Amino acid sequence: MLVAQISDLHIQPEGALYQGIVNSNRMCCEAINHLHTLDQRPDLVLITGDIVDKGTVEEYRVALKILSGLEIPYLVIPGNHDNRENFRKAFANHDYLPTEGVLNYCVDEFPMRFIGLDSCVPDHHYGDFSQESLKWLEFILEKDTIKPTLVMMHHHPFNSGIPYMDIYRHEAAAALELIFQRFSNIEAIVCGHVHRVMFKRWGGTIVFSCPSTTTEIDLQLSPQAKPQSYEGIQACLLHFWGDSQGLISHVSHIGEFKGPYPFA
């Protein structure tokens, strides 16, 4: 099974630019076209939050219009720039999403089980989890301790080293880690939020952070660093699952580059 992951689309109202600079709507369309033209089309796409930028009804209308061009089934979770209720209404035809409360869910119809976690705190940019959500997660994981499982959440649950992003990390990381450590069938946890690729062993598994389809947050490790971003090379993640080899993940760059050349 081939699973693609895109994140942090930051869809704008028609004609608007992300941060007044970048055409994030066009870049999302480019990402979708990239997925359609891979030599093996993904079986599923995961969209790990910040689908829109300000959570408005108009932004979700445009997002749905753009995503209607995606010819591959997809699962969504909200990010800190999403509005939970507008998100729920926009994706009302995604029947795996709860009709009330936080947007945690489990999809179990594929060779892998997918758990979507809503780590958003309304009107704040950091992530957190209520005791109720922690108990729900424990219950879902205990229901099947064998089937390979991939967990999605928007916020990174560890320090990235980028100071202006780590103040917006997941606040319930310690409690989550204790839960995840109990289950050996969690193949990976995938997130977004940081607008760049990161990999870390955490909670007894591996966490992958997906780049944004739009700007890349600068890698600055100085505690005094000020927020800044670049129009970098766009990318998505491809997670390839098979019974014999387990889960293998790749970065797939979006765009046209010199080549291909006849060597490896």
Side-chain angles (χ1 to χ4, degrees):
M1 180 179 188
L2 183 61
V3 180
Q5 182 188 357
I6 58 176
S7 197
D8 297 81
L9 316 180
H10 290 278
I11 298 298
Q12 305 290 310
E14 289 185 2
L17 299 176
Y18 174 53
Q19 300 292 339
I21 298 172
V22 179
N23 191 334
S24 56
N25 295 7
R26 174 182 55 77
M27 296 169 94
C28 182
C29 293
E30 291 169 353
I32 290 172
N33 182 65
H34 175 73
L35 297 180
H36 288 161
T37 55
L38 291 168
D39 66 338
Q40 179 176 334
R41 180 169 286 199
D43 302 292
L44 182 68
V45 178
L46 311 178
I47 308 179
T48 48
D50 282 1
I51 292 176
V52 302
D53 194 41
K54 294 182 173 62
T56 68
V57 172
E58 172 61 13
E59 287 177 331
Y60 285 112
R61 184 191 68 79
V62 177
L64 289 174
K65 181 179 178 182
I66 291 173
L67 291 173
S68 69
L70 180 57
E71 300 170 0
I72 305 165
Y74 64 92
L75 304 178
V76 292
I77 58 170
N80 54 295
H81 283 265
D82 289 298
N83 175 284
R84 184 177 289 144
E85 295 311 315
N86 288 343
F87 183 103
R88 193 193 319 272
K89 291 174 184 175
F91 296 102
N93 64 334
H94 288 236
D95 57 9
Y96 56 85
L97 289 174
T99 57
E100 60 183 19
V102 293
L103 296 166
N104 300 324
Y105 61 86
C106 178
V107 172
D108 202 7
E109 62 193 64
F110 296 97
M112 296 185 75
R113 178 175 60 160
F114 296 91
I115 297 176
L117 301 180
D118 179 353
S119 59
C120 299
V121 180
D123 302 317
H124 294 279
H125 288 302
Y126 67 87
D128 207 349
F129 241 41
S130 67
Q131 286 299 313
E132 183 180 359
S133 284
L134 291 169
K135 289 178 182 177
W136 177 89
L137 175 61
E138 237 177 336
F139 170 76
I140 291 296
L141 290 172
E142 287 171 349
K143 284 182 69 175
D144 190 337
T145 60
I146 303 298
K147 187 171 183 178
T149 298
L150 191 147
V151 177
M152 302 174 281
M153 60 185 180
H154 181 67
H155 295 83
H156 57 298
F158 51 81
N159 282 331
S160 67
I162 305 173
Y164 47 84
M165 291 306 299
D166 289 338
I167 59 174
Y168 302 130
R169 58 168 277 187
H170 204 304
E171 295 287 312
L176 280 171
E177 186 171 22
L178 289 175
I179 292 173
F180 288 133
Q181 284 174 338
R182 293 173 43 210
F183 300 94
S184 60
N185 60 322
I186 300 174
E187 291 291 326
I189 299 165
V190 298
C191 60
H193 192 47
V194 189
H195 286 220
R196 59 181 306 111
V197 177
M198 298 189 301
F199 307 95
K200 180 177 171 61
R201 184 162 183 80
W202 179 88
T205 185
I206 302 294
V207 180
F208 299 97
S209 171
C210 185
S212 167
T213 55
T214 178
T215 53
E216 180 177 73
I217 288 174
D218 194 18
L219 177 58
Q220 299 184 94
L221 304 179
S222 168
Q224 292 77 40
K226 302 298 182 184
Q228 60 185 33
S229 296
Y230 288 93
E231 285 188 63
I233 298 175
Q234 294 169 263
C236 61
L237 295 183
L238 297 177
H239 308 288
F240 184 45
W241 162 259
D243 287 331
S244 59
Q245 85 272 1
L247 187 71
I248 302 170
S249 296
H250 298 268
V251 177
S252 181
H253 294 117
I254 299 166
E256 296 184 1
F257 308 95
K258 290 183 178 180
Y261 303 115
F263 54 82

